[in-house]
């Protein structure tokens, strides 16, 4: 596997590439155990969960269908605007289906709560939530994920699909940027 040098904008790597791969393998086993042979409709929240979803999906043992939605709450800043918008919804019928909502990070919980409430209106057979990262100290609404990769402290993180102003998604690890980058960078 190619070695990546530490990006010069990175202050600290919070979760290494190896730990992420190990945990995603474990998560896929936990999810597989939960659903057995039932077909699961994965709904992923773009763009941040793309990389996580790609790796998880390949490892899931049960039959799956895949759909995605586009939601926004952050814009180009590191604090949530508090206003969540679903810019493009799912396409597949969800009634009577086992739905697994997959996202990159559970922060205040507003985004996933809004999406979860909308999906519940479709009367799925079940609805569970899987996130790579959870910042429990930031929660503002009553929402817990059923499957969690890692709990992390209240830091704005990038890498493995997560961005700051659409940059750094390609870093293979989860990292915190140098404070001056968060201050300086234009969108
Ligand atoms: P809420 O607050 O609704 O936020 O749970 C969920 C969405 O906010 C984004 N988010 C982050 N993105 N680094 C990021 O790159 C972070 O540390 C971070 N915290 C929240 C993300 O899009 C998530 O889906």
């Amino acid at each position: 596997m190619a070695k990546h040098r530490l990006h010069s904008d990175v202050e600290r790597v919070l979760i290494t590439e190896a730990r992420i791969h190990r945990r995603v393998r474990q998560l896929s086993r936990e999810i597989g155990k939960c659903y057995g042979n039932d077909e699961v409709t994965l709904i992923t929240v773009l763009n941040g969960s793309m990389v996580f979803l790609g790796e998880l999906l390949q490892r899931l043992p049960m039959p799956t269908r895949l759909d995605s939605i586009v939601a926004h709450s952050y814009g180009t800043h590191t604090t949530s605007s508090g206003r969540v918008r679903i810019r493009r919804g799912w396409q597949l019928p969800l009634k009577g289906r086992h739905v697994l909502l997959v996202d990159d990070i559970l922060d205040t919980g507003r985004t996933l709560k809004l999406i979860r409430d909308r999906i519940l209106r479709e009367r799925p057979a079940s609805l569970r939530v899987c996130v790579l990262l959870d910042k429990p100290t930031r929660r503002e609404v009553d929402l817990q994920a059923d499957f969690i990769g890692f709990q992390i402290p209240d830091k704005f993180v990038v890498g493995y699909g997560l961005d700051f102003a659409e940059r750094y998604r390609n870093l293979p690890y989860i990292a915190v940027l140098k404070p001056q980058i968060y201050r300086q960078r234009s969108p």
Side-chain angles (χ1 to χ4, degrees):
M1 193 176 292
K3 287 269 175 235
H4 293 265
R5 279 187 337 140
L6 196 64
H7 193 292
S8 58
D9 293 351
V10 165
E11 181 181 71
R12 189 158 68 94
V13 173
L14 221 56
I15 310 172
T16 63
E17 194 177 348
R19 275 186 72 202
I20 296 173
H21 295 321
R22 221 171 22 244
R23 184 70 189 117
V24 174
R25 275 199 300 275
Q26 287 170 351
L27 265 183
S28 60
R29 283 197 291 270
E30 288 169 26
I31 295 170
K33 223 167 158 181
C34 171
Y35 289 103
N37 287 325
D38 289 345
E39 185 184 76
V40 176
T41 302
L42 301 169
I43 299 191
T44 186
V45 188
L46 299 175
N47 290 324
S49 61
M50 251 183 210
V51 179
F52 173 45
L53 185 271
E55 186 173 348
L56 184 73
L57 182 65
Q58 296 175 61
R59 300 181 185 284
L60 290 178
M62 69 281 187
T64 60
R65 301 190 306 165
L66 177 63
D67 206 341
S68 63
I69 66 174
V70 180
H72 279 296
S73 64
Y74 263 65
T76 54
H77 303 285
T78 57
T79 51
S80 174
S81 66
R83 284 190 311 275
V84 182
R85 279 195 311 150
I86 297 181
R87 289 187 37 196
R88 185 175 59 70
W90 59 89
Q91 309 294 313
L92 293 173
L94 303 181
K95 189 175 174 191
R97 305 296 186 138
H98 294 293
V99 177
L100 180 63
L101 189 53
V102 179
D103 203 0
D104 52 0
I105 186 164
L106 185 50
D107 187 5
T108 64
R110 290 183 187 283
T111 309
L112 285 179
K113 182 168 184 338
L114 179 101
I115 298 167
R116 188 192 62 177
D117 291 350
R118 296 255 176 104
I119 293 176
L120 284 174
R121 287 191 214 155
E122 307 285 314
R123 293 192 281 143
S126 68
L127 175 56
R128 292 188 175 86
V129 175
C130 172
V131 291
L132 176 68
L133 304 174
D134 181 22
K135 289 183 192 171
T137 59
R138 294 261 309 160
R139 202 76 83 255
E140 290 175 12
V141 297
D142 182 21
L143 190 122
Q144 306 294 330
D146 301 277
F147 305 100
I148 297 169
F150 302 94
Q151 290 198 325
I152 60 166
D154 179 11
K155 299 267 181 220
F156 193 86
V157 293
V158 298
Y160 198 70
L162 290 117
D163 72 307
F164 172 56
E166 292 303 328
R167 298 182 176 97
Y168 309 103
R169 290 194 197 274
N170 57 326
L171 299 181
Y173 43 76
I174 302 289
V176 178
L177 297 176
K178 292 174 179 164
Q180 64 267 34
I181 305 296
Y182 291 126
R183 282 196 300 266
Q184 285 164 9
R185 187 70 91 198
S186 61

